[in-house]
Amino acid sequence: MIHIIVDYSFLYYKYKFALDSGRMSRLSAEININGQMVERDVSQMYYSLREIESFRKAVEEHGEQPIISICFDMPSERKEEEGEASSKYKSNRKHVLKDEDFENIAIVQSILDTAGYNTYRIEGYEADDIIHHLCKTYTDKFDSVLIVTPDADLMVNITAKIRVQRYKSTKGYSVVGIDNFSSYLEAEMKCKMPYNALTLYKITVGDKSDCIDGIKGFGPKAFNGLVDHLTNMGINWPVCGDADNVELILNRLEQSGYFPADKLAQARTSLRLVRPRPFHPDIVEPCSISSAEKRKEAYLPYNMKSLAQ
């Protein structure tokens, strides 16, 4: 039993940009919207759904049973919760989606529900938060878990049973697990990266993609020194993916005098921003399984016959 968790937003953007640039053909179909048949562009919906179906087929071709969860982004409430400290959080994100795009995404979620997939869209929660709790709460229900995302941040969830299938536009998909966690991230971050050191890296070095400052003037070379220092202290790196354990590391660094108070304050501010939001009761156990019958019911009303298999 394989749990596939899909970070949906990137699939929608992936095909939106490809279509807007003219690199892919647009598709239209007559579909039922609120009881009326309307001719509508279904390109982004179709292509993203087709890719989700490809994940299912790949698992089934190996004789394994997939259960698929699709996680949708909602605006995070971190800014409201953390106040001024989080005012810059993801402030560099461009808002390129229009009303039609949000309608498309709502239709996609409805289609996936009907097709027998588990969908999660929760007010105030980003997909990252939902994925974290799905991994933390329900992984024991499965033989293995595969997270599909372009986001390296989700590699904090990697365990012996959880891998990340990461998408990059220049390289396609790469699968990262415990065995290649360090080599993969060291090549990208240009510094030492013990298994599960990613959270510590993000709160000290920072993360420009999410506008997380980290410690001012603290870069990859300084992080190498920190890794050596903590290794000599006997830090248990595998447990450092957990934000509470990273907080304990900061406390030890404070006690040892490794960082002055101002730098520790900067790291703790960043930790509050990367810490997962609390568990939400709507993150229910993923137990719905797709079938050919459910897929026909979901896709045929949208004339997506090739997906109804």
Side-chain angles (χ1 to χ4, degrees):
M1 189 73 75
I2 313 299
H3 188 199
I4 302 173
I5 307 175
V6 181
D7 177 3
Y8 178 75
S9 292
F10 95 92
L11 287 181
Y12 193 84
Y13 279 108
K14 174 183 176 182
Y15 292 111
K16 177 178 175 61
F17 294 144
L19 289 160
D20 289 349
S21 67
R23 291 185 285 113
M24 296 186 74
S25 300
R26 289 196 172 272
L27 308 171
S28 63
E30 191 175 26
I31 62 176
N32 188 325
I33 298 181
N34 298 324
Q36 292 187 327
M37 299 304 294
V38 178
E39 187 75 18
R40 185 181 179 122
D41 186 321
V42 296
S43 309
Q44 284 136 283
M45 292 187 283
Y46 173 80
Y47 289 127
S48 63
L49 288 166
R50 184 181 67 175
E51 189 152 348
I52 290 171
E53 291 298 333
S54 75
F55 304 147
R56 172 188 61 79
K57 291 177 182 177
V59 171
E60 290 179 341
E61 285 171 0
H62 284 86
E64 297 163 328
Q65 173 66 63
I67 288 186
I68 300 181
S69 297
I70 297 90
C71 301
F72 295 84
D73 266 329
M74 291 291 280
S76 175
E77 291 183 353
R78 279 188 175 87
K79 289 189 176 185
E80 289 77 7
E81 291 170 347
E82 298 299 334
E84 184 178 354
S86 61
S87 60
K88 291 174 61 179
Y89 178 66
K90 294 191 177 182
S91 59
N92 58 343
R93 300 296 171 91
K94 295 180 180 179
H95 301 288
V96 299
L97 298 185
K98 301 176 181 178
D99 288 344
E100 183 179 358
D101 294 303
F102 292 113
E103 291 174 3
N104 286 345
I105 292 170
I107 292 171
V108 165
Q109 184 176 8
S110 176
I111 291 173
L112 290 167
D113 284 333
T114 304
Y117 298 119
N118 306 275
T119 68
Y120 301 88
R121 189 178 186 183
I122 301 171
E123 194 74 34
Y125 279 67
E126 297 172 280
D128 290 17
D129 297 311
I130 299 170
I131 291 169
H132 169 79
H133 288 297
L134 285 173
C135 290
K136 185 176 181 180
T137 310
Y138 302 116
T139 292
D140 289 346
K141 306 286 184 180
F142 304 97
D143 294 300
S144 64
V145 176
L146 184 67
I147 303 170
V148 182
T149 182
D151 193 351
D153 294 349
L154 288 174
M155 292 182 189
V156 300
N157 297 296
I158 288 174
T159 67
K161 291 179 69 173
I162 302 173
R163 296 176 300 158
V164 168
Q165 183 167 297
R166 187 190 183 199
Y167 178 81
K168 297 189 76 171
S169 59
T170 55
K171 297 181 179 180
Y173 285 108
S174 300
V175 177
V176 183
I178 286 181
D179 57 340
N180 64 335
F181 179 99
S182 293
S183 59
Y184 182 91
L185 287 174
E186 284 172 0
E188 181 166 327
M189 307 300 187
K190 309 301 182 187
C191 63
K192 296 178 181 179
M193 188 64 62
Y195 166 57
N196 262 350
L198 186 56
T199 299
L200 185 65
Y201 173 91
K202 191 167 182 175
I203 69 167
T204 54
V205 179
D207 184 347
K208 291 182 180 179
S209 67
D210 286 346
C211 293
I212 293 174
D213 292 334
I215 296 173
K216 186 176 181 179
F218 194 91
K221 289 185 178 179
F223 188 74
N224 283 339
L226 177 58
V227 168
D228 290 341
H229 177 76
L230 291 171
T231 300
N232 291 334
M233 290 175 64
I235 289 296
N236 181 15
W237 286 110
V239 304
C240 294
D242 183 88
D244 289 338
N245 288 331
V246 175
E247 180 71 50
L248 294 176
I249 289 174
L250 293 180
N251 293 342
R252 291 186 65 177
L253 291 171
E254 182 175 31
Q255 292 166 7
S256 68
Y258 189 87
F259 283 131
D262 61 330
K263 294 187 182 297
L264 279 167
Q266 293 165 17
R268 287 187 169 117
T269 295
S270 296
L271 180 59
R272 291 199 298 274
L273 298 180
V274 303
R275 182 185 290 275
R277 295 203 64 224
F279 182 82
H280 193 284
D282 286 348
I283 307 176
V284 297
E285 180 179 344
C287 54
S288 182
I289 300 176
S290 184
S291 66
E293 292 75 17
K294 291 178 181 178
R295 291 191 292 275
K296 287 179 182 178
E297 182 183 354
Y299 294 125
L300 290 182
Y302 296 90
N303 287 322
M304 299 180 184
K305 297 177 183 178
S306 63
L307 304 184
Q309 299 175 9

